[in-house]
């Protein structure tokens, strides 16, 4: 019995959806609506005490952290391997997944948070908002919600995160000029992690990623999009698409400057 709790096919949820679809493992999908704060409801906090998606439950055992989930899926199930067999390239793959978790994803997520949060919180009274935030298990997450919703982040912070996103793309572009995939000549979890963050960029941020400035990235992006596992992950239901689209142009200018 395999259950995946996830949000729309973007960022960390997309990361685990791609891995599970690439592996071809049947699973029960549970959509957690972040725009309705479902991740902080007591039933979900019992699954993941951090109150975040994705979370995997395998025969009653819970695994959290998208990168760990992906390695667990690869360890536990038949299907095409998602990690290089060679120890060097496997290490290089892990350097990419760590880079995404510690650098690329946080930068992108702060920018997205800043531009998206009002679409989620403006319909709440201050009291309703505070009641929602009070349920968030991690103080750091409470602070993130309050700062983004109340005063927003400073231009300096946003510029810095924008720079980090550009650095991430530059690194990918360089690597993809040297190897077909991010960790050598084989598709791996390095590609899954990076694509989960960068999937929307050609559309959202054409000034940053485009055939002239980032040809290697664009070719890789096209190959990723043509993979059946990636297509199946991207086709997962997205009931919050309109809200995401509403924030898209604002995010786009933050990333291009
Ligand atoms: N390190 C965690 C981060 C998970 C995470 O940040 N998930 C986001 C969605 S991409 C989330 O649940 N956000 C809602 C919240 O923090 O309240 C992982 O890789 O799984």
């Amino acid at each position: 019995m395999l259950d995946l709790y996830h949000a729309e096919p973007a960022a960390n949820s997309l990361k685990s959806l791609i891995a599970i679809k690439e592996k071809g493992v049947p699973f029960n999908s549970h959509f957690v609506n972040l725009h309705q704060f479902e991740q902080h409801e007591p039933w979900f906090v019992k699954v993941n005490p951090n109150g975040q998606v994705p979370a995997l439950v395998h025969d009653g055992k819970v695994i959290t952290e998208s990168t760990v989930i992906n390695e667990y899926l690869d360890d536990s199930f038949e299907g095409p391997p998602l990690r290089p067999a060679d120890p060097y390239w496997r290490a290089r793959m892990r350097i990419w997944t760590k880079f995404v978790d510690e650098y690329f994803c946080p930068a992108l997520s702060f920018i997205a948070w800043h531009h998206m949060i009002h679409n989620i919180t403006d319909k709440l009274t201050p009291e309703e908002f505070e009641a929602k935030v009070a349920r968030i298990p991690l103080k750091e997450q409470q602070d993130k919600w309050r700062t983004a919703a109340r005063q927003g982040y400073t231009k300096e912070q946003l510029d810095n995160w924008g720079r980090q996103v550009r650095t991430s793309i530059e690194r990918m572009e360089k690597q993809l000029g040297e190897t077909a995939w991010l960790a050598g000549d084989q598709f791996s979890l390095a590609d899954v992690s990076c694509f989960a963050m960068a999937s929307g960029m050609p559309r959202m941020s054409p000034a940053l990623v485009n055939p002239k400035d980032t040809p290697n990235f664009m070719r890789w992006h096209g190959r990723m999009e043509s993979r059946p596992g990636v297509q199946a992950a991207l086709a997962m239901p997205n009931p919050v698409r309109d809200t995401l689209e509403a924030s898209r142009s604002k995010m786009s200018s933050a990333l291009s400057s």
Side-chain angles (χ1 to χ4, degrees), residues 58-70:
H58 184 203
D59 292 336
K61 293 168 293 194
V62 177
I63 297 106
T64 59
E65 292 296 328
S66 52
T67 298
V68 178
I69 290 173
N70 286 2

mmCIF file with all atom_site columns, all heavy atoms in Angstrom, residues 58-70:
data_model
loop_
_atom_site.group_PDB
_atom_site.id
_atom_site.type_symbol
_atom_site.label_atom_id
_atom_site.label_alt_id
_atom_site.label_comp_id
_atom_site.label_asym_id
_atom_site.label_entity_id
_atom_site.label_seq_id
_atom_site.pdbx_PDB_ins_code
_atom_site.Cartn_x
_atom_site.Cartn_y
_atom_site.Cartn_z
_atom_site.occupancy
_atom_site.B_iso_or_equiv
_atom_site.pdbx_formal_charge
_atom_site.auth_seq_id
_atom_site.auth_comp_id
_atom_site.auth_asym_id
_atom_site.auth_atom_id
_atom_site.pdbx_PDB_model_num
ATOM 1  N N   . HIS A 1 58 ? 4.187  4.273  3.230  1.00 0.00 ? 58 HIS A N   1
ATOM 2  C CA  . HIS A 1 58 ? 4.365  2.950  2.625  1.00 0.00 ? 58 HIS A CA  1
ATOM 3  C C   . HIS A 1 58 ? 4.075  1.898  3.684  1.00 0.00 ? 58 HIS A C   1
ATOM 4  O O   . HIS A 1 58 ? 4.819  1.799  4.674  1.00 0.00 ? 58 HIS A O   1
ATOM 5  C CB  . HIS A 1 58 ? 5.809  2.816  2.107  1.00 0.00 ? 58 HIS A CB  1
ATOM 6  C CG  . HIS A 1 58 ? 6.063  1.527  1.396  1.00 0.00 ? 58 HIS A CG  1
ATOM 7  N ND1 . HIS A 1 58 ? 7.316  0.989  1.265  1.00 0.00 ? 58 HIS A ND1 1
ATOM 8  C CD2 . HIS A 1 58 ? 5.213  0.662  0.773  1.00 0.00 ? 58 HIS A CD2 1
ATOM 9  C CE1 . HIS A 1 58 ? 7.237  -0.143 0.598  1.00 0.00 ? 58 HIS A CE1 1
ATOM 10 N NE2 . HIS A 1 58 ? 5.976  -0.369 0.289  1.00 0.00 ? 58 HIS A NE2 1
ATOM 11 N N   . ASP A 1 59 ? 3.014  1.156  3.489  1.00 0.00 ? 59 ASP A N   1
ATOM 12 C CA  . ASP A 1 59 ? 2.610  0.148  4.481  1.00 0.00 ? 59 ASP A CA  1
ATOM 13 C C   . ASP A 1 59 ? 2.600  0.734  5.896  1.00 0.00 ? 59 ASP A C   1
ATOM 14 O O   . ASP A 1 59 ? 3.141  0.138  6.842  1.00 0.00 ? 59 ASP A O   1
ATOM 15 C CB  . ASP A 1 59 ? 3.550  -1.063 4.430  1.00 0.00 ? 59 ASP A CB  1
ATOM 16 C CG  . ASP A 1 59 ? 3.383  -1.828 3.122  1.00 0.00 ? 59 ASP A CG  1
ATOM 17 O OD1 . ASP A 1 59 ? 2.303  -1.724 2.504  1.00 0.00 ? 59 ASP A OD1 1
ATOM 18 O OD2 . ASP A 1 59 ? 4.339  -2.520 2.716  1.00 0.00 ? 59 ASP A OD2 1
ATOM 19 N N   . GLY A 1 60 ? 2.056  1.916  6.030  1.00 0.00 ? 60 GLY A N   1
ATOM 20 C CA  . GLY A 1 60 ? 1.916  2.549  7.349  1.00 0.00 ? 60 GLY A CA  1
ATOM 21 C C   . GLY A 1 60 ? 3.156  3.302  7.821  1.00 0.00 ? 60 GLY A C   1
ATOM 22 O O   . GLY A 1 60 ? 3.106  3.985  8.841  1.00 0.00 ? 60 GLY A O   1
ATOM 23 N N   . LYS A 1 61 ? 4.278  3.195  7.070  1.00 0.00 ? 61 LYS A N   1
ATOM 24 C CA  . LYS A 1 61 ? 5.497  3.910  7.494  1.00 0.00 ? 61 LYS A CA  1
ATOM 25 C C   . LYS A 1 61 ? 5.593  5.224  6.714  1.00 0.00 ? 61 LYS A C   1
ATOM 26 O O   . LYS A 1 61 ? 5.440  5.232  5.490  1.00 0.00 ? 61 LYS A O   1
ATOM 27 C CB  . LYS A 1 61 ? 6.744  3.063  7.206  1.00 0.00 ? 61 LYS A CB  1
ATOM 28 C CG  . LYS A 1 61 ? 6.816  1.805  8.073  1.00 0.00 ? 61 LYS A CG  1
ATOM 29 C CD  . LYS A 1 61 ? 7.888  0.863  7.562  1.00 0.00 ? 61 LYS A CD  1
ATOM 30 C CE  . LYS A 1 61 ? 7.515  0.301  6.210  1.00 0.00 ? 61 LYS A CE  1
ATOM 31 N NZ  . LYS A 1 61 ? 8.248  -0.831 5.722  1.00 0.00 ? 61 LYS A NZ  1
ATOM 32 N N   . VAL A 1 62 ? 5.871  6.296  7.449  1.00 0.00 ? 62 VAL A N   1
ATOM 33 C CA  . VAL A 1 62 ? 5.886  7.622  6.821  1.00 0.00 ? 62 VAL A CA  1
ATOM 34 C C   . VAL A 1 62 ? 7.309  8.016  6.434  1.00 0.00 ? 62 VAL A C   1
ATOM 35 O O   . VAL A 1 62 ? 8.241  7.864  7.224  1.00 0.00 ? 62 VAL A O   1
ATOM 36 C CB  . VAL A 1 62 ? 5.321  8.688  7.795  1.00 0.00 ? 62 VAL A CB  1
ATOM 37 C CG1 . VAL A 1 62 ? 5.400  10.080 7.170  1.00 0.00 ? 62 VAL A CG1 1
ATOM 38 C CG2 . VAL A 1 62 ? 3.885  8.360  8.190  1.00 0.00 ? 62 VAL A CG2 1
ATOM 39 N N   . ILE A 1 63 ? 7.440  8.520  5.214  1.00 0.00 ? 63 ILE A N   1
ATOM 40 C CA  . ILE A 1 63 ? 8.721  9.081  4.774  1.00 0.00 ? 63 ILE A CA  1
ATOM 41 C C   . ILE A 1 63 ? 8.427  10.504 4.291  1.00 0.00 ? 63 ILE A C   1
ATOM 42 O O   . ILE A 1 63 ? 7.533  10.717 3.471  1.00 0.00 ? 63 ILE A O   1
ATOM 43 C CB  . ILE A 1 63 ? 9.364  8.263  3.628  1.00 0.00 ? 63 ILE A CB  1
ATOM 44 C CG1 . ILE A 1 63 ? 9.687  6.853  4.115  1.00 0.00 ? 63 ILE A CG1 1
ATOM 45 C CG2 . ILE A 1 63 ? 10.679 8.894  3.153  1.00 0.00 ? 63 ILE A CG2 1
ATOM 46 C CD1 . ILE A 1 63 ? 8.776  5.825  3.582  1.00 0.00 ? 63 ILE A CD1 1
ATOM 47 N N   . THR A 1 64 ? 9.187  11.466 4.804  1.00 0.00 ? 64 THR A N   1
ATOM 48 C CA  . THR A 1 64 ? 9.028  12.856 4.372  1.00 0.00 ? 64 THR A CA  1
ATOM 49 C C   . THR A 1 64 ? 10.327 13.319 3.712  1.00 0.00 ? 64 THR A C   1
ATOM 50 O O   . THR A 1 64 ? 11.288 12.559 3.641  1.00 0.00 ? 64 THR A O   1
ATOM 51 C CB  . THR A 1 64 ? 8.695  13.775 5.564  1.00 0.00 ? 64 THR A CB  1
ATOM 52 O OG1 . THR A 1 64 ? 9.759  13.684 6.513  1.00 0.00 ? 64 THR A OG1 1
ATOM 53 C CG2 . THR A 1 64 ? 7.381  13.373 6.219  1.00 0.00 ? 64 THR A CG2 1
ATOM 54 N N   . GLU A 1 65 ? 10.330 14.557 3.266  1.00 0.00 ? 65 GLU A N   1
ATOM 55 C CA  . GLU A 1 65 ? 11.463 15.181 2.553  1.00 0.00 ? 65 GLU A CA  1
ATOM 56 C C   . GLU A 1 65 ? 11.532 14.605 1.131  1.00 0.00 ? 65 GLU A C   1
ATOM 57 O O   . GLU A 1 65 ? 11.935 13.459 0.921  1.00 0.00 ? 65 GLU A O   1
ATOM 58 C CB  . GLU A 1 65 ? 12.810 14.987 3.273  1.00 0.00 ? 65 GLU A CB  1
ATOM 59 C CG  . GLU A 1 65 ? 12.909 15.733 4.574  1.00 0.00 ? 65 GLU A CG  1
ATOM 60 C CD  . GLU A 1 65 ? 12.838 17.256 4.390  1.00 0.00 ? 65 GLU A CD  1
ATOM 61 O OE1 . GLU A 1 65 ? 13.299 17.772 3.360  1.00 0.00 ? 65 GLU A OE1 1
ATOM 62 O OE2 . GLU A 1 65 ? 12.270 17.916 5.274  1.00 0.00 ? 65 GLU A OE2 1
ATOM 63 N N   . SER A 1 66 ? 11.199 15.463 0.174  1.00 0.00 ? 66 SER A N   1
ATOM 64 C CA  . SER A 1 66 ? 11.066 14.999 -1.207 1.00 0.00 ? 66 SER A CA  1
ATOM 65 C C   . SER A 1 66 ? 12.306 14.253 -1.734 1.00 0.00 ? 66 SER A C   1
ATOM 66 O O   . SER A 1 66 ? 12.163 13.230 -2.417 1.00 0.00 ? 66 SER A O   1
ATOM 67 C CB  . SER A 1 66 ? 10.737 16.187 -2.122 1.00 0.00 ? 66 SER A CB  1
ATOM 68 O OG  . SER A 1 66 ? 11.663 17.230 -1.918 1.00 0.00 ? 66 SER A OG  1
ATOM 69 N N   . THR A 1 67 ? 13.487 14.747 -1.401 1.00 0.00 ? 67 THR A N   1
ATOM 70 C CA  . THR A 1 67 ? 14.698 14.083 -1.911 1.00 0.00 ? 67 THR A CA  1
ATOM 71 C C   . THR A 1 67 ? 14.868 12.701 -1.284 1.00 0.00 ? 67 THR A C   1
ATOM 72 O O   . THR A 1 67 ? 15.273 11.745 -1.947 1.00 0.00 ? 67 THR A O   1
ATOM 73 C CB  . THR A 1 67 ? 15.927 14.978 -1.623 1.00 0.00 ? 67 THR A CB  1
ATOM 74 O OG1 . THR A 1 67 ? 15.730 16.203 -2.330 1.00 0.00 ? 67 THR A OG1 1
ATOM 75 C CG2 . THR A 1 67 ? 17.227 14.348 -2.064 1.00 0.00 ? 67 THR A CG2 1
ATOM 76 N N   . VAL A 1 68 ? 14.532 12.606 -0.009 1.00 0.00 ? 68 VAL A N   1
ATOM 77 C CA  . VAL A 1 68 ? 14.623 11.310 0.690  1.00 0.00 ? 68 VAL A CA  1
ATOM 78 C C   . VAL A 1 68 ? 13.542 10.366 0.150  1.00 0.00 ? 68 VAL A C   1
ATOM 79 O O   . VAL A 1 68 ? 13.801 9.175  -0.083 1.00 0.00 ? 68 VAL A O   1
ATOM 80 C CB  . VAL A 1 68 ? 14.472 11.522 2.220  1.00 0.00 ? 68 VAL A CB  1
ATOM 81 C CG1 . VAL A 1 68 ? 14.527 10.195 2.949  1.00 0.00 ? 68 VAL A CG1 1
ATOM 82 C CG2 . VAL A 1 68 ? 15.545 12.471 2.729  1.00 0.00 ? 68 VAL A CG2 1
ATOM 83 N N   . ILE A 1 69 ? 12.362 10.905 -0.073 1.00 0.00 ? 69 ILE A N   1
ATOM 84 C CA  . ILE A 1 69 ? 11.272 10.096 -0.650 1.00 0.00 ? 69 ILE A CA  1
ATOM 85 C C   . ILE A 1 69 ? 11.731 9.494  -1.980 1.00 0.00 ? 69 ILE A C   1
ATOM 86 O O   . ILE A 1 69 ? 11.543 8.302  -2.249 1.00 0.00 ? 69 ILE A O   1
ATOM 87 C CB  . ILE A 1 69 ? 10.007 10.966 -0.872 1.00 0.00 ? 69 ILE A CB  1
ATOM 88 C CG1 . ILE A 1 69 ? 9.379  11.349 0.467  1.00 0.00 ? 69 ILE A CG1 1
ATOM 89 C CG2 . ILE A 1 69 ? 8.989  10.256 -1.778 1.00 0.00 ? 69 ILE A CG2 1
ATOM 90 C CD1 . ILE A 1 69 ? 8.233  12.352 0.361  1.00 0.00 ? 69 ILE A CD1 1
ATOM 91 N N   . ASN A 1 70 ? 12.368 10.321 -2.808 1.00 0.00 ? 70 ASN A N   1
ATOM 92 C CA  . ASN A 1 70 ? 12.773 9.838  -4.128 1.00 0.00 ? 70 ASN A CA  1
ATOM 93 C C   . ASN A 1 70 ? 13.815 8.719  -4.041 1.00 0.00 ? 70 ASN A C   1
ATOM 94 O O   . ASN A 1 70 ? 13.748 7.730  -4.768 1.00 0.00 ? 70 ASN A O   1
ATOM 95 C CB  . ASN A 1 70 ? 13.298 11.007 -4.975 1.00 0.00 ? 70 ASN A CB  1
ATOM 96 C CG  . ASN A 1 70 ? 12.153 11.885 -5.455 1.00 0.00 ? 70 ASN A CG  1
ATOM 97 O OD1 . ASN A 1 70 ? 10.993 11.647 -5.124 1.00 0.00 ? 70 ASN A OD1 1
ATOM 98 N ND2 . ASN A 1 70 ? 12.468 12.900 -6.231 1.00 0.00 ? 70 ASN A ND2 1
#
